[in-house]
Amino acid sequence: MEVKQGCWMIAEAPGEAERLEATIRTLGWDVTRLSPPWSGCCLEDDSGCRIGVVHVDGLSADHLGQLESLILRSRCLWLAVAAEDTLEAAESRKLIATLCHGVVAPTVESQELSCLMQQAHMMSTLQRHDVEQRGMSGAASNDDSEYEMVGSTPVMWKLFQMIRKVAAVEAPVFISGESGTGKELTAQAIHERSPRASACFHAINCGALPDHLIQSELFGHEKGAFTGAVQRKIGRIEATDGGTLFLDEIGDLPFELQVNLLRFLETRTIQRVGGLEDIPVDVRIVAATHVDLERAVEEGRFREDLYHRLNVLQIKVPPLREHQEDIEILARYFFERFAGEKPSHLRGISREALLVMRQYSWPGNVRELINRMRRAMIMCEHRLIQPEDLGIERRKMSRQILTLEQAKDRAEREALIAALGRNKNKIHPAAKELGVSRVTIYRLMEKHGVIRPESSVQPTP
């Protein structure tokens, strides 16, 4: 190699570090050795080093944390050198899988190592050019198709169980919950597990249409029924014959139209605007709102008889703050869901970002989580998403005061639920990942009230 190229190197294992450095130098590379604490190292862009090599064997947990901080701040591609037993350790395996471009054994042939380093150097150069040329146009997709319901906590398992139960019957369902919690997803999950699954599912937002259009939109109209009605129109209820109609924000339905919906629920027939014929329609109604309908009834803004007609079966979708243990699972799910939008260098989510996400109150619930993740994936210029990429101001994070014992219990519970979730609720793999016995897992589940679903029950409805 006529022109020497530079690389960073991190290694602490006695003897092995010197041997690896000598091997890299014989391949024609200039090696700059980095010493701990690596969290304070500054990798200057003009150093000429486009890649890094880290010998992971023998690094402590503290060193691994410093190493993650270093790699996140660098613009290099890193190659890991690790023995088989190191790859079996959860922390080092996770760091290598999310932050490193490749991994080789300490016994790797020098020619193979040379090829990998050259490939990483070329890839690093290409990625730097890509970052410099990538504008603000982004690659955000307009595909807002439905998302799966994801969760592994007891409150979500309870929700999934309720969905299965109400899906089996024909009675109207009333879904309550804050904005952004996934009420429409819940309605669609009910439909897909009901006998009507092969028929259509239609959704209409009662709060998004002008008052003078809602009746025509729901019930349709005849030609000449009013000015501008140049042809017959089939309403949403009639168009959903045989299927499920989801009425979102039912609390915003004008009071004078509530009697028309009540009549349909009682007679199962409709009349188009301007028509006299009673048209039988077989539709299951699922309604939802984020407002307190009981209070609306007391204040005379919503008909009590309609409320009881709609509220035969009730499901409450929990806000995200009530199942914070699912935040990491949701974040990683949406990271994969929008993988086509992310820049090529982005590999995952940093521990600091996940910590901030767990501490944030999420007033916009899952919808806000989706939006922040998409923004972060497009704007991130590091290998892992950082707290600043999410746009969450730390002053808006939860400032709940916890005792040391409460903090330990919360961390213990979160780690337990996350491990069960990653291992599909299987006890032995979860115990192995956490480094404890199966008996300890069962004890912790009992202590924290964590219920493992039956083996036949999946974590999504």
Side-chain angles (χ1 to χ4, degrees):
M1 189 180 302
E2 295 181 0
V3 179
K4 285 195 174 184
Q5 301 169 105
C7 77
W8 305 107
M9 177 179 165
I10 291 176
E12 287 296 297
E16 289 296 318
E18 289 71 22
R19 187 190 65 80
L20 179 61
E21 181 176 349
T23 300
I24 295 175
R25 290 188 181 278
T26 60
L27 296 175
W29 293 79
D30 280 332
V31 178
T32 302
R33 187 88 170 264
L34 298 175
S35 301
W38 300 304
S39 56
C41 291
C42 180
L43 309 187
E44 300 294 342
D45 288 339
D46 62 352
S47 64
C49 296
R50 295 289 177 88
I51 67 169
V53 177
V54 53
H55 193 277
V56 186
D57 297 348
L59 297 185
S60 64
D62 181 55
H63 281 168
L64 289 174
Q66 294 179 24
L67 183 58
E68 178 179 312
S69 175
L70 172 68
I71 294 178
L72 288 175
R73 289 182 288 105
S74 75
R75 297 180 62 191
C76 303
L77 286 184
W78 287 78
L79 297 175
V81 179
E84 188 173 338
D85 58 342
T86 299
L87 297 178
E88 292 177 356
E91 284 298 315
S92 54
R93 182 177 67 243
K94 181 180 178 181
L95 182 141
I96 294 170
T98 57
L99 296 178
C100 294
H101 181 69
V103 57
V104 295
T107 56
V108 64
E109 296 290 335
S110 60
Q111 191 60 38
E112 181 182 352
L113 179 61
S114 177
C115 290
L116 285 173
M117 292 179 68
Q118 288 290 355
Q119 181 190 57
H121 187 274
M122 183 175 294
M123 185 64 69
S124 178
T125 302
L126 291 173
Q127 288 184 2
R128 289 191 183 210
H129 287 316
D130 179 61
V131 169
E132 292 169 0
Q133 295 175 6
R134 181 161 38 88
M136 294 300 294
S137 57
S141 169
N142 293 322
D143 177 15
D144 289 322
S145 58
E146 68 279 356
Y147 311 110
E148 294 179 24
M149 299 185 71
V150 179
S152 63
T153 52
V155 292
M156 291 303 290
W157 292 337
K158 183 178 179 180
L159 174 62
F160 300 155
Q161 186 180 35
M162 284 290 295
I163 288 173
R164 293 187 181 92
K165 286 182 177 180
V166 303
V169 296
E170 285 291 301
V173 181
F174 179 71
I175 303 172
S176 61
E178 298 177 7
S179 295
T181 51
K183 295 186 290 294
E184 184 170 347
L185 280 178
T186 303
Q188 189 157 354
I190 292 170
H191 169 73
E192 291 172 351
R193 285 149 185 81
S194 74
R196 299 175 179 266
S198 59
C200 56
F201 172 87
H202 287 159
I204 183 170
N205 190 326
C206 298
L209 292 173
D211 292 355
H212 65 281
L213 292 180
I214 293 181
Q215 185 168 7
S216 174
E217 190 70 25
L218 285 176
F219 300 98
H221 62 250
E222 297 289 354
K223 180 179 179 181
F226 50 82
T227 303
V230 297
Q231 62 183 8
R232 171 185 289 177
K233 176 183 178 179
I234 302 299
R236 290 293 187 94
I237 295 178
E238 189 176 352
T240 316
D241 191 23
T244 303
L245 179 63
F246 175 57
L247 299 176
D248 197 10
E249 301 303 347
I250 190 70
D252 294 332
L253 189 68
F255 194 84
E256 59 272 16
L257 293 182
Q258 293 175 20
V259 66
N260 294 350
L261 181 59
L262 176 64
R263 180 180 181 276
F264 162 68
L265 291 172
E266 291 176 338
T267 66
R268 293 292 167 179
T269 63
I270 64 165
Q271 283 187 1
R272 302 188 190 108
V273 178
L276 300 176
E277 178 187 2
D278 283 334
I279 304 169
V281 183
D282 176 26
V283 172
R284 183 183 192 182
I285 297 293
V286 178
T289 184
H290 73 283
V291 303
D292 186 345
L293 274 195
E294 290 187 3
R295 176 176 294 180
V297 169
E298 293 174 359
E299 296 174 352
R301 293 182 288 109
F302 200 85
R303 293 182 63 98
E304 183 176 8
D305 45 5
L306 177 58
Y307 171 71
H308 291 301
R309 276 282 180 181
L310 294 171
N311 195 28
V312 178
L313 300 171
Q314 189 178 63
I315 291 180
K316 184 180 186 302
V317 184
L320 187 54
R321 63 179 175 274
E322 291 184 4
H323 55 113
Q324 290 184 322
E325 297 89 348
D326 283 327
I327 290 175
E328 181 174 350
I329 296 173
L330 285 163
R332 296 192 188 282
Y333 168 76
F334 291 120
F335 184 89
E336 296 300 326
R337 172 67 174 76
F338 300 114
E341 301 179 0
K342 70 180 182 69
S344 58
H345 65 270
L346 183 58
R347 303 291 295 276
I349 311 168
S350 71
R351 289 186 292 185
E352 288 85 354
L354 289 172
L355 176 61
V356 167
M357 294 171 79
R358 285 194 294 269
Q359 294 175 337
Y360 184 57
S361 61
W362 297 106
N365 294 296
V366 178
R367 183 184 295 129
E368 182 182 2
L369 175 61
I370 294 170
N371 294 339
R372 289 190 181 277
M373 279 298 300
R374 294 185 76 172
R375 174 189 182 277
M377 291 174 67
I378 294 170
M379 303 303 294
C380 181
E381 295 187 354
H382 303 283
R383 285 181 178 78
L384 296 185
I385 289 174
Q386 300 298 298
E388 56 267 24
D389 299 320
L390 294 164
I392 297 176
E393 297 182 32
R394 292 183 181 269
R395 61 184 176 85
K396 292 184 178 181
M397 297 191 322
S398 173
R399 296 183 181 274
Q400 180 183 3
I401 299 175
L402 300 176
T403 65
L404 181 59
E405 193 64 30
Q406 288 174 328
K408 287 180 179 179
D409 283 346
R410 174 179 289 187
E412 190 176 70
R413 187 174 189 272
E414 289 181 358
L416 172 65
I417 291 176
L420 287 171
R422 285 191 293 269
N423 291 282
K424 300 181 180 179
N425 301 303
K426 294 178 180 178
I427 299 297
H428 183 68
K432 186 176 180 181
E433 179 181 317
L434 293 176
V436 298
S437 67
R438 296 178 57 166
V439 174
T440 300
I441 292 290
Y442 284 117
R443 180 181 59 78
L444 291 175
M445 290 173 65
E446 182 178 0
K447 173 184 175 182
H448 297 292
V450 175
I451 305 170
R452 187 168 65 123
E454 299 298 326
S455 57
S456 60
V457 178
Q458 298 299 317
T460 54

